[in-house]
């Protein structure tokens, strides 16, 4: 073996170890899309190593259960998939699900493709990218460049930081799309699903709600309930505010002919159109999160939103421009901060990184869409610190450290030491189980 090759293997092993310590012990994570798994859920991932090498290609039925699998060796895999489907359906109060998606983008791919086939209509109405839509919704991303959908934008109201329901209704009526999509990546306030679901359906569209960011908040009943408001499908990641292993999910209420036609097309778009292996090793852990959400989801979501609102208020009182002030800054796990006057999103995010505070720069709704390299804003998420036990006063401490960096009151490296000290006070992960054994003991009382 060449010396260079062996050196690279050593580097690989050392860097992996260093990463685990760096991001899970030596930083405070405020990236809004990154969830934090409980020790029990991590243990479940570690216990699923054989599953992680298996295949389970095949068809599902109208309950989202396994109907037919094409490989042998499936007797437990089938049960596992069905359990996960049932547990998650119970959390979200719906009767149809697909748990085979490997990511939120994959969930959108299968849903958008399936629905465009079901409607024979390739038009979709969706929020503009700079107003928080995900790249997978956009004509420059998955929706347009991969699936070939023609996207038309909702009208966005900069004052309300939300989709304008009246003006978007006009757009939907004029466009007559096959799909109307809600939800986003920069997502502080519930979208007007209730106001627009009926108009969308009358125009012949299916209503899709992309809950990638807010699935955990919905599970905890602390954000809008898209099904109650009229959404036909929810697509999501399973690892943002929903604190599971990385993956995706599609949920729906099926029943009438209109929905049966759609769910069949979506299932077909999942398999065989867009998957072969479905990353089975994540499934037991995903199912376990459903239990944690039933027990702790409401409390976790409530504290997460409260922490985000607290940060918005505190940063704003201390001179930063936090978006959405008149509406209390946020109703979700995230806030958006305009740091144009402090050197822009890119500089500030890099300075905070030097102080061991990890977050991302973000386009704000009034930014030029092409300025993604140096947008005005930061997106700040509080789901990770909340699960570590941060309460309002801890959020104030954290914001003080952020303000020191943003306003350049102290050297970022010096602030970084205080960040580490603060981080050391939060070694446990709350709102979940410490081990599978703890789960089994808990279940005893229902035996
Ligand atoms: C993160 C995100 C996705 C993509 O999810 P992945 O699991 O990262 O593929 C899709 N939609 C929205 C709104 C998102 O924020």
């Amino acid at each position: 073996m060449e010396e260079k090759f062996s050196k690279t293997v050593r580097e690989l092993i050392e860097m992996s170890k260093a990463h685990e310590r760096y991001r899970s012990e030596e930083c405070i994570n405020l990236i809004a899309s990154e969830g934090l798994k409980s020790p029990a859920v991590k243990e479940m991932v570690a216990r699923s190593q054989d599953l992680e090498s298996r295949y389970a290609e095949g068809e599902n039925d109208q309950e989202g259960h396994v109907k037919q699998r094409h490989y042998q060796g499936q007797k437990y895999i089938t049960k596992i998939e069905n359990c996960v489907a049932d547990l998650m359906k119970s959390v979200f109060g719906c009767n149809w699900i697909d748990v085979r998606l490997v990511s939120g983008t994959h969930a959108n791919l299968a849903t958008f493709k399936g629905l465009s086939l079901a409607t024979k209509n390739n038009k979709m109405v969706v929020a503009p990218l700079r107003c928080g839509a995900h790249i997978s919704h956009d004509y420059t991303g998955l929706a347009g460049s991969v699936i070939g959908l023609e996207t038309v934008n909702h009208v966005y109201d900069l004052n309300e930081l939300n989709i304008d329901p009246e003006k978007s209704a006009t757009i939907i009526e004029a466009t007559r799309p096959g799909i109307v999509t809600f939800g986003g990546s920069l997502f502080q306030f519930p979208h007007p699903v209730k106001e627009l679901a009926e108009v969308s359906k009358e125009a012949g569209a299916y209503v899709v709600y992309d809950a990638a960011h807010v699935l955990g908040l919905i599970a905890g009943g602390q954000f809008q309930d898209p099904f109650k408001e009229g959404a036909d499908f929810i697509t999501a990641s399973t690892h943002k505010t929903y604190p599971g292993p990385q993956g995706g999910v599609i949920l729906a209420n099926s029943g009438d002919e209109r929905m049966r036609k759609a769910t069949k097309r979506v299932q077909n778009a999942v398999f065989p159109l867009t998957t072969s292996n479905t990353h089975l090793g994540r499934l037991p852990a995903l199912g376990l999160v459903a239990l944690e959400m039933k027990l702790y989801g409401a409390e976790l979501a409530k504290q997460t939103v409260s922490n985000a609102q607290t940060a918005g208020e505190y940063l704003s009182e201390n001179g930063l421009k936090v978006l959405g002030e008149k509406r209390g800054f946020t109703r979700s796990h995230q806030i958006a901060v305009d740091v144009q006057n402090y050197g822009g999103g890119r500089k500030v995010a890099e300075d905070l990184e030097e102080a061991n505070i990890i977050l991302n720069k973000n386009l704000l709704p009034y930014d030029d869409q092409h300025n993604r390299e140096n947008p005005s804003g930061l997106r700040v998420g509080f789901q990770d610190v909340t699960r570590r036990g941060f309460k309002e006063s801890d959020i104030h401490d954290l914001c003080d450290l952020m303000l020191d960096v943003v306003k350049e009151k102290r050297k970022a490296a010096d602030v970084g030491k205080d960040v580490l000290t603060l981080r050391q006070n939060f070694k446990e992960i709350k709102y979940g189980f410490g081990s599978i054994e703890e789960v089994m003991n808990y279940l005893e009382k229902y035996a």
Side-chain angles (χ1 to χ4, degrees):
M1 190 169 42
E2 296 167 61
E3 196 179 323
K4 186 161 169 271
F5 194 90
S6 71
K7 227 172 111 187
T8 308
V9 174
R10 188 166 300 119
E11 184 183 11
L12 170 72
I13 294 167
E14 284 166 4
M15 289 304 102
S16 305
K17 190 172 164 201
H19 170 84
E20 293 296 316
R21 196 175 52 234
Y22 169 53
R23 289 297 302 278
S24 76
E25 292 170 28
E26 299 172 348
C27 291
I28 290 184
N29 182 40
L30 299 175
I31 292 189
S33 57
E34 294 177 349
L36 186 65
K37 294 189 282 297
S38 72
V41 169
K42 284 186 204 161
E43 188 185 337
M44 206 74 228
V45 173
R47 280 192 189 196
S48 306
Q49 291 310 303
D50 184 89
L51 257 185
E52 209 266 334
S53 348
R54 301 302 160 204
Y55 273 84
E57 291 185 346
E59 281 71 41
N60 286 1
D61 67 16
Q62 270 303 302
E63 261 110 61
H65 288 149
V66 173
K67 183 162 90 187
Q68 187 185 339
R69 288 293 182 260
H70 303 312
Y71 288 12
Q72 304 315 122
Q74 302 285 317
K75 63 180 174 186
Y76 300 117
I77 296 177
T78 292
K79 295 238 163 74
I80 291 166
E81 275 199 51
N82 290 346
C83 287
V84 180
D86 288 342
L87 293 168
M88 287 191 77
K89 283 194 294 187
S90 167
V91 168
F92 294 99
C94 61
N95 64 17
W96 184 94
I97 189 166
D98 205 310
V99 298
R100 295 176 294 174
L101 297 310
V102 302
S103 72
T105 299
H106 185 199
N108 283 345
L109 170 58
T111 305
F112 296 162
K113 184 68 195 178
L115 294 180
S116 70
L117 290 170
T119 56
K120 300 191 173 63
N121 179 336
N122 72 343
K123 283 187 252 166
M124 175 164 84
V125 172
V126 68
L129 205 52
R130 69 193 149 70
C131 303
H134 188 252
I135 179 82
S136 61
H137 302 167
D138 199 63
Y139 71 97
T140 60
L142 175 88
S145 301
V146 180
I147 309 178
L149 298 182
E150 184 190 324
T151 61
V152 177
N153 283 336
H154 285 294
V155 178
Y156 193 83
D157 182 337
L158 282 177
N159 275 318
E160 298 296 323
L161 291 184
N162 211 330
I163 292 166
D164 182 316
E166 277 97 47
K167 291 188 178 140
S168 290
T170 311
I171 299 266
I172 292 164
E173 281 163 346
T175 308
R176 303 197 65 79
I179 308 168
V180 175
T181 293
F182 296 94
S185 302
L186 184 69
F187 196 18
Q188 301 99 311
F189 299 103
H191 278 171
V193 179
K194 187 165 74 248
E195 291 81 351
L196 290 170
E198 208 170 293
V199 178
S200 303
K201 289 174 192 176
E202 274 165 13
Y206 287 94
V207 177
V208 175
Y209 184 98
D210 184 340
H213 265 268
V214 294
L215 191 69
L217 305 179
I218 294 170
Q222 304 300 313
F223 205 68
Q224 66 191 139
D225 180 339
F227 286 138
K228 279 217 181 94
E229 295 191 21
D232 294 312
F233 286 87
I234 294 179
T235 62
S237 306
T238 56
H239 50 265
K240 295 186 181 179
T241 55
Y242 196 81
Q246 288 187 324
V249 67
I250 309 171
L251 302 147
N253 273 309
S254 191
D256 61 6
E257 198 36 49
R258 172 180 174 271
M259 282 306 290
R260 249 196 309 280
K261 182 169 104 182
T263 50
K264 278 191 180 151
R265 284 294 194 175
V266 171
Q267 282 173 329
N268 181 252
V270 176
F271 179 86
L273 295 191
T274 67
T275 29
S276 177
N277 94 71
T278 53
H279 298 193
L280 295 161
R282 68 196 162 79
L283 287 180
L286 179 60
L288 200 54
V289 177
L291 171 66
E292 295 187 329
M293 289 294 102
K294 279 243 170 183
L295 297 175
Y296 311 111
E299 207 189 333
L300 172 60
K302 210 177 268 177
Q303 189 64 51
T304 302
V305 176
S306 171
N307 283 347
Q309 289 169 337
T310 300
E313 206 171 286
Y314 194 79
L315 293 173
S316 173
E317 279 166 14
N318 284 281
L320 295 194
K321 184 176 166 194
V322 183
L323 274 58
E325 176 167 13
K326 72 169 183 173
R327 297 187 61 196
F329 305 104
T330 187
R331 303 253 311 269
S332 76
H333 60 301
Q334 48 166 275
I335 57 172
V337 187
D338 184 331
V339 289
Q340 219 164 358
N341 293 338
Y342 297 94
R346 182 192 187 134
K347 176 190 183 292
V348 174
E350 285 173 1
D351 289 351
L352 286 166
E353 179 183 39
E354 206 184 324
N356 302 323
I357 295 172
I358 309 294
L359 45 63
N360 60 278
K361 62 182 184 292
N362 218 94
L363 280 176
L364 298 180
Y366 43 79
D367 277 349
D368 177 351
Q369 180 144 332
H370 299 101
N371 201 16
R372 295 181 77 177
E373 275 315 298
N374 190 18
S376 327
L378 301 175
R379 187 183 64 177
V380 197
F382 294 88
Q383 71 295 336
D384 182 317
V385 290
T386 302
R387 217 174 187 207
R388 293 189 191 277
F390 276 61
K391 296 280 165 64
E392 287 74 3
S393 65
D394 311 308
I395 295 292
H396 289 163
D397 294 342
L398 174 58
C399 288
D400 281 331
L401 295 171
M402 292 173 76
L403 286 160
D404 283 353
V405 176
V406 176
K407 296 185 172 178
E408 298 185 334
K409 286 194 204 156
R410 293 196 288 147
K411 277 209 193 102
D414 291 338
V415 177
K417 289 178 197 141
D418 294 345
V419 170
L420 259 177
T421 307
L422 178 63
R423 172 69 188 77
Q424 298 317 309
N425 299 333
F426 298 91
K427 291 205 157 141
E428 254 180 72
I429 293 170
K430 318 271 192 202
Y431 311 96
F433 287 94
S435 65
I436 308 280
E437 193 187 345
E438 238 181 59
V439 174
M440 294 307 281
N441 288 340
Y442 174 82
L443 297 175
E444 280 285 300
K445 64 177 168 189
Y446 296 96

